[in-house]
Amino acid sequence: MANLSLMKRASSLFLNQTRSILQKRNAATQAIKGHLVEVSHNDNNGITTVSMGRAPVNSINLELAQELRKALENAVDNNSKGIILTSSLASVFSAGLDIMEMYKPDIKRCTDFWYALQDLWLSLYGLSIPTAAAINGASPAGGCLLALSCEYRVMVKGEHTIGLNETKLGIVAPKWFQDSMISTIGYRQAELALLKGMLFKPEEALKIGLIDELASDKNDALAKCEKYISEYAKIPAEAREATKMSLRKENLVWLEGNREWDTTIFVNYVQMPQVQEGLDKYIQSLKKKAK
């Protein structure tokens, strides 16, 4: 099994390099106040549940991205057997990126926000331990990205939807968003979904492989995620980790090698007049709905 040994060493080296970069970036970040993320650990099975709790819809801003990444990495450092990502909100997993991070942006904060989102994805997508998403509600755009970054997805039945719907908002999903979907549902299905900005109800998402199971409620979703993670108890961890890194390394390496370019594209894009106009219209429509 020399190949497995080589794969393990290569995976460990890549993970250590990634972790080092994230730690250096984190060292320059001030401590985050508040409780945007709730963490619980089951001593019986060794599984950690990480719940997003930024009301009202878990929109991902700079602080949530930073705190969520820290929670994930702490779970690994504490030898968790696996991580379940979910939401503490009643009917939403995550509504995606916080538009206010992009609307009339402060360039420094906008840049920091994108770095934090990249860090979060690199951590979640590259975690060596098993990961599962208990999707208990709406999960468009960035919310879908978080779910795609996990190995396994269980979605509660209902009228809510999941998908990368950026084109409908006049936005282009970055390459690493696209690659996450392509890796999950295949190129052709992803191409159609991305071009049309499609959102899928749970049954539709199951049919195309965007999710792996349906659940009757959140507790059922959590139980099915726990079952998935527990299935690895009898599989050698080194072989599992090396296989996962072999499958995911290409996407991880791409972002690591193109972070500055990707950030420049994002920051320049959100400053375009037509993008700001579109965001303004969307925000005004939300205000009207709230009245």
Side-chain angles (χ1 to χ4, degrees):
M1 298 300 291
N3 288 340
L4 177 58
S5 178
L6 288 173
M7 287 174 65
K8 179 191 172 186
R9 288 199 296 270
S11 321
S12 298
L13 177 60
F14 178 72
L15 283 172
N16 288 337
Q17 289 173 339
T18 300
R19 196 167 290 146
S20 176
I21 291 170
L22 295 179
Q23 287 172 344
K24 288 177 182 178
R25 189 179 300 282
N26 184 46
T29 304
Q30 294 181 352
I32 303 168
K33 297 180 180 180
H35 299 283
L36 301 176
V37 176
E38 299 174 6
V39 179
S40 61
H41 183 76
N42 188 327
D43 292 330
N44 293 324
N45 57 26
I47 296 173
T48 300
T49 300
V50 177
S51 303
M52 297 175 284
R54 184 178 181 238
V57 292
N58 279 332
S59 54
I60 307 167
N61 67 348
L62 171 62
E63 290 76 18
L64 178 57
Q66 290 174 329
E67 194 167 330
L68 185 53
R69 174 175 57 81
K70 287 181 180 179
L72 296 172
E73 293 181 350
N74 285 340
V76 174
D77 291 340
N78 292 327
N79 298 316
S80 176
K81 299 297 183 183
I83 293 175
I84 298 174
L85 179 63
T86 190
S87 164
S88 60
L89 306 182
S91 60
V92 62
F93 181 72
S94 170
L97 306 188
D98 189 340
I99 287 178
M100 300 312 295
E101 295 286 15
M102 298 174 274
Y103 181 59
K104 297 180 180 179
D106 171 87
I107 300 306
K108 183 181 183 307
R109 181 179 172 93
C110 187
T111 301
D112 290 344
F113 163 66
W114 201 247
Y115 281 148
L117 186 66
Q118 291 173 334
D119 287 343
L120 171 57
W121 182 80
L122 287 167
S123 290
L124 180 57
Y125 193 75
L127 281 178
S128 58
I129 60 177
T131 56
I135 308 165
N136 58 306
S139 186
C144 180
L145 177 71
L146 293 180
L148 287 169
S149 302
C150 297
E151 299 169 25
Y152 202 76
R153 287 160 291 282
V154 182
M155 192 171 191
V156 175
K157 296 178 183 178
E159 293 302 309
H160 39 260
T161 56
I162 184 172
L164 295 179
N165 62 325
E166 279 80 357
T167 55
K168 286 185 177 178
L169 304 175
I171 301 172
V172 178
K175 175 177 166 53
W176 41 292
F177 284 50
Q178 296 179 22
D179 287 344
S180 298
M181 178 165 272
I182 291 169
S183 297
T184 303
I185 64 174
Y187 185 88
R188 182 54 180 161
Q189 289 278 17
E191 181 179 40
L192 292 173
L194 288 163
L195 290 173
K196 295 180 179 180
M198 296 173 68
L199 290 172
F200 302 90
K201 291 184 178 180
E203 290 77 9
E204 297 169 332
L206 179 65
K207 185 176 180 180
I208 65 168
L210 186 55
I211 63 171
D212 299 291
E213 284 192 78
L214 295 173
S216 57
D217 55 31
K218 182 180 176 180
N219 287 334
D220 186 33
L222 291 170
K224 288 178 176 178
C225 286
E226 287 186 355
K227 181 178 181 294
Y228 168 77
I229 293 173
S230 296
E231 289 172 350
Y232 289 106
K234 296 181 180 180
I235 295 178
E238 294 179 354
R240 204 204 86 88
E241 177 183 347
T243 301
K244 181 176 180 178
M245 289 304 101
S246 177
L247 290 166
R248 297 192 170 205
K249 183 177 179 180
E250 183 176 349
N251 290 344
L252 291 164
V253 168
W254 184 90
L255 183 56
E256 277 291 3
N258 293 276
R259 294 189 65 162
E260 298 302 326
W261 175 84
D262 180 70
T263 302
T264 299
I265 292 294
F266 170 74
V267 173
N268 288 341
Y269 184 78
V270 299
Q271 294 181 79
M272 294 173 64
Q274 59 267 40
V275 174
Q276 285 299 309
E277 182 179 349
L279 291 175
D280 183 71
K281 289 180 179 179
Y282 182 67
I283 290 170
Q284 296 309 317
S285 69
L286 291 177
K287 290 180 178 178
K288 289 181 180 179
K289 290 180 181 178
K291 290 181 179 179

